[in-house]
Amino acid sequence: MTDNSYQERLSQLVEPGERVLAVAKTEIAQGARPAEMPATGSPESSAGGRGGVVSGVLLNLISPLISFSAGDRLVDRIIYGVAGRGAPGSAASALQHSRRPVPPATTIEDTILAVTDRRLLVCASGPTKLWSSQADDERAAAQTQVVWSAPRAAVANARVGWHRLNPKRLRIEFTDGSWLAFIVPIAESGKPLREIAAALTGR
């Protein structure tokens, strides 16, 4: 699906007088990410400590079906590197939380980044299919909704550069010190991500 169909939809979602400057279909990069949003009464909040982390890593290696957040983060860090940082409730933490699938996740949605003359927008498309027709793509674009936004002033920097073997990773840094990375598939052009970075920084 081209970004143009998302551009048309976003022009309907923004505020009156707000201009869409750049749009990119992307996904949050794999790797160790910012801390999750605070959750009251979470059973994992009391299971900290080095022993819990080691146990979690061993469980992850023995069976990928067993999930333990501290172990997951360490395995992600070793395999993929760091994809973001930030305290619970930071901009990067809230952004990634906005794209976290709600269990049970039975559909796939595209993540769309957009920059306007006022805000950074994070959007979710309608449900998409692995093998989709043009009509399916148009339907998904038409159902796109804004799931998170931040004023332009909350973004400290944005740049596209190399990370390990990927030359097209967008890193968005926020004024609260948190950051999050985004990627496109290796076979796709990195131009939309570079346009997002340019629109955010004015470079």
Side-chain angles (χ1 to χ4, degrees):
M1 185 190 306
T2 64
D3 293 336
N4 290 338
S5 50
Y6 287 120
Q7 182 118 20
E8 292 172 13
R9 172 60 178 159
L10 283 163
S11 66
Q12 301 165 2
L13 295 175
V14 296
E15 298 169 352
E18 189 174 14
R19 290 184 303 115
V20 177
L21 305 177
V23 176
K25 183 173 82 168
T26 183
E27 61 187 78
I28 298 174
Q30 293 282 354
R33 296 178 179 172
E36 290 294 333
M37 294 287 284
T40 56
S42 171
E44 287 187 0
S45 62
S46 60
R50 199 179 335 185
V53 172
V54 172
S55 302
V57 172
L58 291 174
L59 286 172
N60 285 136
L61 295 175
I62 292 168
S63 173
L65 299 177
I66 299 173
S67 179
F68 181 81
S69 64
D72 291 342
R73 286 193 297 273
L74 187 54
V75 170
D76 282 344
R77 186 183 183 103
I78 293 168
I79 295 174
Y80 300 107
V82 179
R85 284 211 170 99
S90 64
S93 172
L95 191 166
Q96 78 164 348
H97 183 77
S98 73
R99 294 303 300 124
R100 186 183 182 117
V102 178
T106 56
T107 60
I108 301 170
E109 299 172 343
D110 287 334
T111 296
I112 315 301
L113 287 182
V115 180
T116 74
D117 54 351
R118 303 176 190 173
R119 297 180 289 166
L120 167 65
L121 306 177
V122 179
C123 307
S125 74
T128 61
K129 299 178 180 177
L130 192 56
W131 307 107
S132 60
S133 65
Q134 184 175 351
D136 292 330
D137 290 345
E138 290 172 355
R139 190 176 308 111
Q143 295 174 11
T144 298
Q145 296 294 327
V146 176
V147 295
W148 186 85
S149 69
R152 292 279 297 273
V155 177
N157 194 20
R159 62 182 184 275
V160 176
W162 279 87
H163 175 74
R164 297 191 174 181
L165 297 177
N166 188 345
K168 300 174 289 192
R169 193 170 88 148
L170 168 66
R171 174 172 162 149
I172 298 178
E173 301 172 2
F174 297 96
T175 53
D176 63 4
S178 65
W179 64 273
L180 193 61
F182 298 85
I183 57 170
V184 294
I186 290 291
E188 293 186 14
S189 169
K191 183 182 177 184
L193 295 184
R194 290 191 295 271
E195 290 175 346
I196 292 286
L200 283 170
T201 61
R203 295 195 294 263

Coordinates of all heavy atoms in Angstrom, one line a residue, residues 67-132:
S67 N 6.7 -16.6 28.6 CA 7.0 -15.1 28.5 C 7.3 -14.6 29.9 O 6.5 -14.8 30.9 CB 5.9 -14.4 27.9 OG 6.2 -13.0 27.9
F68 N 8.4 -13.9 30.1 CA 8.8 -13.3 31.3 C 9.4 -12.0 30.9 O 10.5 -11.9 30.3 CB 9.7 -14.2 32.1 CG 10.2 -13.6 33.4 CD1 9.3 -13.7 34.5 CD2 11.4 -13.0 33.6 CE1 9.7 -13.2 35.8 CE2 11.8 -12.4 34.8 CZ 10.9 -12.6 35.9
S69 N 8.8 -10.8 31.3 CA 9.2 -9.6 30.7 C 10.7 -9.2 30.9 O 11.4 -8.8 30.0 CB 8.4 -8.4 31.3 OG 8.6 -8.3 32.7
A70 N 11.3 -9.4 32.1 CA 12.7 -9.1 32.3 C 13.6 -10.0 31.4 O 14.6 -9.5 30.8 CB 13.1 -9.3 33.7
G71 N 13.2 -11.3 31.3 CA 14.0 -12.2 30.4 C 13.8 -11.8 29.0 O 14.8 -11.8 28.2
D72 N 12.6 -11.4 28.6 CA 12.3 -11.0 27.2 C 13.2 -9.8 26.8 O 13.8 -9.8 25.7 CB 10.9 -10.6 27.0 CG 9.9 -11.8 27.1 OD1 10.4 -12.9 26.9 OD2 8.7 -11.6 27.3
R73 N 13.3 -8.8 27.8 CA 14.1 -7.6 27.5 C 15.6 -8.0 27.3 O 16.2 -7.4 26.4 CB 13.9 -6.6 28.6 CG 12.5 -5.9 28.6 CD 12.5 -4.7 29.5 NE 12.7 -5.0 30.9 CZ 11.8 -5.4 31.7 NH1 10.5 -5.5 31.3 NH2 12.0 -5.7 33.0
L74 N 16.1 -8.9 28.1 CA 17.5 -9.2 28.0 C 17.8 -10.0 26.7 O 18.8 -9.7 26.0 CB 18.0 -10.0 29.2 CG 19.5 -10.3 29.3 CD1 20.3 -9.0 29.2 CD2 19.8 -11.0 30.5
V75 N 16.9 -10.9 26.3 CA 17.1 -11.6 25.1 C 17.0 -10.7 23.9 O 17.8 -10.7 22.9 CB 16.0 -12.8 25.0 CG1 16.0 -13.4 23.6 CG2 16.3 -13.8 26.0
D76 N 16.0 -9.8 23.9 CA 15.9 -8.8 22.8 C 17.1 -7.9 22.7 O 17.6 -7.6 21.6 CB 14.7 -7.9 23.1 CG 13.3 -8.5 22.8 OD1 13.4 -9.6 22.1 OD2 12.3 -8.0 23.2
R77 N 17.7 -7.5 23.9 CA 18.9 -6.7 23.9 C 20.1 -7.4 23.2 O 20.8 -6.8 22.4 CB 19.2 -6.2 25.3 CG 20.4 -5.2 25.3 CD 20.7 -4.9 26.8 NE 21.8 -3.9 26.8 CZ 21.6 -2.6 27.1 NH1 20.4 -2.2 27.3 NH2 22.6 -1.8 27.0
I78 N 20.2 -8.7 23.6 CA 21.3 -9.5 23.0 C 21.2 -9.7 21.5 O 22.1 -9.5 20.7 CB 21.4 -10.8 23.7 CG1 21.9 -10.6 25.2 CG2 22.4 -11.7 23.0 CD1 21.7 -11.8 26.1
I79 N 20.0 -10.0 21.1 CA 19.7 -10.4 19.7 C 19.6 -9.1 18.8 O 20.2 -9.0 17.7 CB 18.5 -11.3 19.5 CG1 18.7 -12.6 20.2 CG2 18.2 -11.5 18.0 CD1 17.6 -13.5 20.3
Y80 N 18.8 -8.2 19.2 CA 18.5 -7.0 18.4 C 19.2 -5.7 18.8 O 19.2 -4.8 18.0 CB 17.0 -6.8 18.4 CG 16.2 -7.9 17.8 CD1 15.4 -8.7 18.7 CD2 16.1 -8.2 16.5 CE1 14.6 -9.8 18.2 CE2 15.4 -9.3 16.0 CZ 14.6 -10.1 16.9 OH 13.9 -11.1 16.4
G81 N 19.7 -5.6 20.0 CA 20.2 -4.4 20.5 C 19.2 -3.5 21.2 O 18.1 -4.0 21.6
V82 N 19.4 -2.3 21.3 CA 18.5 -1.4 22.0 C 17.7 -0.6 21.0 O 18.2 0.0 20.0 CB 19.3 -0.4 22.9 CG1 18.4 0.6 23.6 CG2 20.2 -1.1 23.9
A83 N 16.4 -0.7 21.2 CA 15.4 0.0 20.2 C 14.7 1.2 20.9 O 13.9 1.8 20.2 CB 14.4 -1.0 19.7
G84 N 15.1 1.5 22.1 CA 14.4 2.6 22.8 C 14.8 2.7 24.2 O 15.1 1.6 24.8
R85 N 14.6 3.8 24.8 CA 14.8 4.0 26.3 C 13.8 5.0 26.8 O 13.4 5.9 26.1 CB 16.2 4.5 26.6 CG 17.3 3.4 26.4 CD 18.5 3.7 27.3 NE 19.4 2.5 27.3 CZ 20.5 2.5 26.6 NH1 20.9 3.5 25.9 NH2 21.2 1.4 26.7
G86 N 13.5 4.8 28.1 CA 12.5 5.7 28.7 C 11.9 5.1 29.9 O 11.7 3.9 30.0
A87 N 11.6 6.0 30.9 CA 11.0 5.5 32.1 C 9.5 5.3 31.8 O 8.9 5.7 30.9 CB 11.1 6.6 33.2
P88 N 8.8 4.5 32.7 CA 7.4 4.3 32.6 C 6.7 5.6 32.5 O 6.9 6.5 33.4 CB 7.0 3.5 33.8 CG 8.3 2.8 34.2 CD 9.4 3.8 33.9
G89 N 5.8 5.8 31.6 CA 5.1 7.1 31.4 C 5.7 8.1 30.6 O 5.2 9.2 30.4
S90 N 7.0 7.9 30.2 CA 7.7 8.8 29.3 C 7.0 8.8 27.9 O 6.2 8.0 27.6 CB 9.2 8.4 29.2 OG 9.3 7.2 28.5
A91 N 7.4 9.8 27.1 CA 6.8 9.9 25.8 C 7.0 8.6 25.0 O 6.1 8.1 24.3 CB 7.4 11.1 25.0
A92 N 8.3 8.1 25.0 CA 8.5 6.8 24.2 C 7.8 5.7 24.8 O 7.3 4.8 24.0 CB 10.0 6.5 24.2
S93 N 7.6 5.6 26.1 CA 6.9 4.5 26.8 C 5.4 4.6 26.3 O 4.8 3.6 26.0 CB 7.0 4.6 28.3 OG 6.1 3.7 28.9
A94 N 4.8 5.8 26.4 CA 3.4 6.0 26.0 C 3.2 5.7 24.5 O 2.2 5.1 24.1 CB 3.0 7.4 26.3
L95 N 4.2 6.1 23.7 CA 4.1 5.8 22.3 C 4.0 4.4 22.0 O 3.2 3.9 21.3 CB 5.2 6.5 21.5 CG 5.2 6.6 20.0 CD1 6.2 7.6 19.5 CD2 5.3 5.3 19.3
Q96 N 5.0 3.6 22.5 CA 5.0 2.2 22.2 C 3.8 1.5 22.8 O 3.2 0.5 22.2 CB 6.3 1.5 22.7 CG 6.3 1.3 24.2 CD 7.4 0.3 24.6 OE1 8.0 -0.4 23.8 NE2 7.7 0.2 25.9
H97 N 3.3 2.0 24.0 CA 2.1 1.4 24.6 C 0.9 1.6 23.7 O 0.0 0.7 23.6 CB 1.8 2.0 25.9 CG 0.7 1.4 26.7 ND1 0.7 0.2 27.3 CD2 -0.6 1.9 26.8 CE1 -0.4 -0.1 27.8 NE2 -1.3 0.9 27.6
S98 N 0.8 2.7 22.9 CA -0.3 2.9 22.0 C -0.4 1.9 20.9 O -1.4 1.8 20.3 CB -0.2 4.4 21.5 OG 0.8 4.4 20.5
R99 N 0.8 1.3 20.6 CA 0.8 0.3 19.5 C 0.9 -1.1 20.0 O 1.1 -2.0 19.2 CB 1.9 0.6 18.5 CG 1.8 1.9 17.8 CD 0.4 2.0 17.0 NE 0.4 0.9 16.0 CZ -0.6 0.0 15.9 NH1 -1.6 0.1 16.8 NH2 -0.7 -0.9 15.0
R100 N 0.7 -1.3 21.3 CA 0.8 -2.7 21.8 C -0.6 -3.4 21.6 O -1.6 -2.9 21.9 CB 1.0 -2.6 23.3 CG 1.2 -4.0 24.0 CD 1.4 -3.8 25.4 NE 1.6 -5.1 26.0 CZ 2.8 -5.5 26.6 NH1 3.7 -4.6 26.8 NH2 2.9 -6.7 27.1
P101 N -0.5 -4.6 20.9 CA -1.8 -5.2 20.6 C -2.5 -5.6 21.9 O -1.9 -6.0 22.9 CB -1.4 -6.5 19.8 CG 0.1 -6.6 19.8 CD 0.6 -5.3 20.4
V102 N -3.8 -5.5 21.9 CA -4.6 -5.9 23.1 C -5.0 -7.4 22.9 O -5.6 -7.8 22.0 CB -5.9 -5.0 23.1 CG1 -6.8 -5.5 24.3 CG2 -5.6 -3.6 23.2
P103 N -4.6 -8.2 23.9 CA -4.9 -9.6 23.8 C -6.4 -9.9 23.8 O -7.1 -9.2 24.6 CB -4.2 -10.2 25.0 CG -3.3 -9.2 25.5 CD -3.8 -7.9 25.1
P104 N -6.9 -10.9 23.1 CA -6.2 -11.7 22.1 C -6.1 -10.9 20.8 O -7.1 -10.5 20.3 CB -7.1 -12.9 22.0 CG -8.4 -12.4 22.3 CD -8.3 -11.3 23.2
A105 N -4.9 -10.8 20.3 CA -4.6 -10.0 19.0 C -4.9 -11.0 17.9 O -4.2 -11.9 17.6 CB -3.2 -9.5 18.9
T106 N -6.1 -10.7 17.2 CA -6.5 -11.6 16.1 C -6.3 -11.0 14.7 O -6.6 -11.6 13.7 CB -7.9 -12.0 16.3 OG1 -8.8 -10.9 16.4 CG2 -8.1 -12.9 17.5
T107 N -5.9 -9.7 14.7 CA -5.7 -9.0 13.5 C -4.4 -8.3 13.4 O -3.8 -8.1 14.5 CB -6.8 -7.9 13.2 OG1 -6.8 -7.0 14.3 CG2 -8.2 -8.6 13.2
I108 N -3.9 -7.9 12.3 CA -2.7 -7.1 12.1 C -3.1 -5.7 11.6 O -3.9 -5.6 10.8 CB -1.8 -7.8 11.0 CG1 -1.5 -9.2 11.4 CG2 -0.5 -7.0 10.8 CD1 -0.8 -10.0 10.3
E109 N -2.4 -4.7 12.2 CA -2.7 -3.3 11.9 C -1.3 -2.7 11.5 O -0.3 -3.0 12.2 CB -3.3 -2.6 13.0 CG -4.7 -3.1 13.4 CD -5.2 -2.4 14.7 OE1 -4.3 -1.8 15.4 OE2 -6.4 -2.5 15.0
D110 N -1.3 -1.9 10.5 CA -0.1 -1.1 10.2 C 0.1 0.0 11.2 O -0.9 0.6 11.7 CB -0.2 -0.5 8.8 CG -0.1 -1.6 7.7 OD1 0.6 -2.6 7.9 OD2 -0.6 -1.3 6.6
T111 N 1.3 0.4 11.4 CA 1.6 1.6 12.2 C 2.0 2.7 11.3 O 2.9 2.5 10.4 CB 2.8 1.3 13.2 OG1 2.4 0.3 14.1 CG2 3.2 2.5 13.9
I112 N 1.4 3.8 11.4 CA 1.6 4.9 10.5 C 2.2 6.1 11.3 O 1.5 6.5 12.3 CB 0.3 5.4 9.8 CG1 -0.4 4.2 9.2 CG2 0.7 6.4 8.7 CD1 0.3 3.3 8.3
L113 N 3.3 6.6 11.0 CA 3.8 7.9 11.6 C 3.5 9.0 10.7 O 3.6 8.9 9.4 CB 5.3 7.8 11.7 CG 5.9 6.9 12.8 CD1 7.5 7.1 12.8 CD2 5.4 7.3 14.2
A114 N 3.1 10.1 11.2 CA 2.8 11.3 10.5 C 3.3 12.5 11.2 O 3.2 12.6 12.5 CB 1.3 11.4 10.2
V115 N 3.8 13.5 10.5 CA 4.2 14.8 11.0 C 3.4 15.9 10.4 O 3.2 15.9 9.2 CB 5.7 15.0 10.8 CG1 6.1 16.4 11.4 CG2 6.6 13.9 11.3
T116 N 2.8 16.7 11.3 CA 2.1 17.9 10.8 C 2.8 19.1 11.2 O 3.9 19.0 11.8 CB 0.6 17.9 11.4 OG1 0.7 18.3 12.7 CG2 -0.1 16.6 11.3
D117 N 2.3 20.3 10.8 CA 3.0 21.5 11.2 C 2.8 21.8 12.7 O 3.4 22.7 13.3 CB 2.5 22.7 10.4 CG 1.0 22.8 10.4 OD1 0.3 21.9 11.0 OD2 0.5 23.8 9.9
R118 N 2.0 20.9 13.4 CA 1.8 21.1 14.9 C 2.2 19.9 15.7 O 2.6 20.0 16.9 CB 0.3 21.3 15.1 CG -0.3 22.5 14.4 CD -1.8 22.6 14.7 NE -2.4 23.6 13.8 CZ -3.7 23.8 13.7 NH1 -4.5 23.1 14.5 NH2 -4.2 24.7 12.9
R119 N 2.1 18.7 15.2 CA 2.2 17.5 16.0 C 2.9 16.3 15.3 O 3.0 16.3 14.1 CB 0.8 16.9 16.4 CG 0.0 17.9 17.2 CD -1.4 17.3 17.5 NE -2.2 17.2 16.3 CZ -3.3 16.4 16.2 NH1 -3.7 15.7 17.2 NH2 -4.1 16.4 15.1
L120 N 3.4 15.4 16.1 CA 3.8 14.1 15.7 C 2.6 13.1 16.0 O 2.2 13.1 17.1 CB 5.1 13.6 16.5 CG 5.4 12.1 16.3 CD1 5.8 11.7 14.9 CD2 6.5 11.7 17.3
L121 N 2.2 12.4 15.0 CA 1.0 11.5 15.2 C 1.5 10.1 15.0 O 2.3 9.8 14.1 CB -0.1 11.8 14.1 CG -0.6 13.3 14.0 CD1 -1.6 13.4 12.9 CD2 -1.2 13.7 15.3
V122 N 0.9 9.2 15.8 CA 1.1 7.8 15.6 C -0.3 7.2 15.3 O -1.3 7.5 16.1 CB 1.7 7.1 16.8 CG1 1.8 5.6 16.6 CG2 3.1 7.7 17.1
C123 N -0.5 6.5 14.3 CA -1.8 6.0 13.8 C -1.8 4.5 13.7 O -0.7 3.9 13.4 CB -2.2 6.6 12.5 SG -2.1 8.4 12.5
A124 N -2.9 3.9 13.8 CA -3.1 2.5 13.5 C -4.1 2.3 12.3 O -5.2 3.0 12.3 CB -3.7 1.8 14.7
S125 N -3.7 1.5 11.4 CA -4.7 1.3 10.2 C -5.8 0.4 10.7 O -5.8 -0.2 11.8 CB -3.9 0.7 9.1 OG -3.6 -0.7 9.4
G126 N -6.7 0.2 9.8 CA -7.7 -0.9 10.0 C -7.0 -2.2 9.8 O -5.8 -2.3 9.5
P127 N -7.7 -3.3 10.1 CA -7.1 -4.6 10.0 C -6.6 -4.9 8.5 O -7.2 -4.5 7.6 CB -8.3 -5.6 10.3 CG -9.2 -4.8 11.1 CD -9.1 -3.4 10.6
T128 N -5.4 -5.5 8.5 CA -4.8 -5.7 7.2 C -4.6 -7.3 7.0 O -4.7 -8.0 8.0 CB -3.4 -5.1 7.0 OG1 -2.5 -5.6 8.1 CG2 -3.5 -3.6 7.2
K129 N -4.4 -7.7 5.8 CA -4.2 -9.1 5.5 C -2.8 -9.3 4.9 O -2.2 -8.4 4.4 CB -5.2 -9.6 4.4 CG -6.6 -9.4 4.9 CD -7.6 -9.9 3.8 CE -9.0 -9.8 4.2 NZ -9.9 -10.1 3.1
L130 N -2.3 -10.5 5.1 CA -0.9 -10.8 4.6 C -0.9 -10.8 3.1 O 0.0 -10.2 2.5 CB -0.5 -12.2 5.1 CG 0.9 -12.6 4.9 CD1 1.8 -11.6 5.6 CD2 1.2 -14.0 5.5
W131 N -1.9 -11.4 2.5 CA -2.1 -11.3 1.0 C -3.3 -10.5 0.8 O -4.5 -10.9 0.9 CB -2.2 -12.7 0.4 CG -1.1 -13.6 0.8 CD1 -1.2 -14.6 1.7 CD2 0.2 -13.5 0.4 NE1 0.0 -15.2 1.8 CE2 0.9 -14.6 1.0 CE3 0.9 -12.7 -0.5 CZ2 2.3 -14.8 0.8 CZ3 2.3 -12.9 -0.7 CH2 2.9 -14.0 -0.1
S132 N -3.2 -9.2 0.5 CA -4.3 -8.3 0.4 C -4.5 -7.8 -1.0 O -3.5 -7.6 -1.8 CB -4.1 -7.1 1.3 OG -2.9 -6.4 1.0

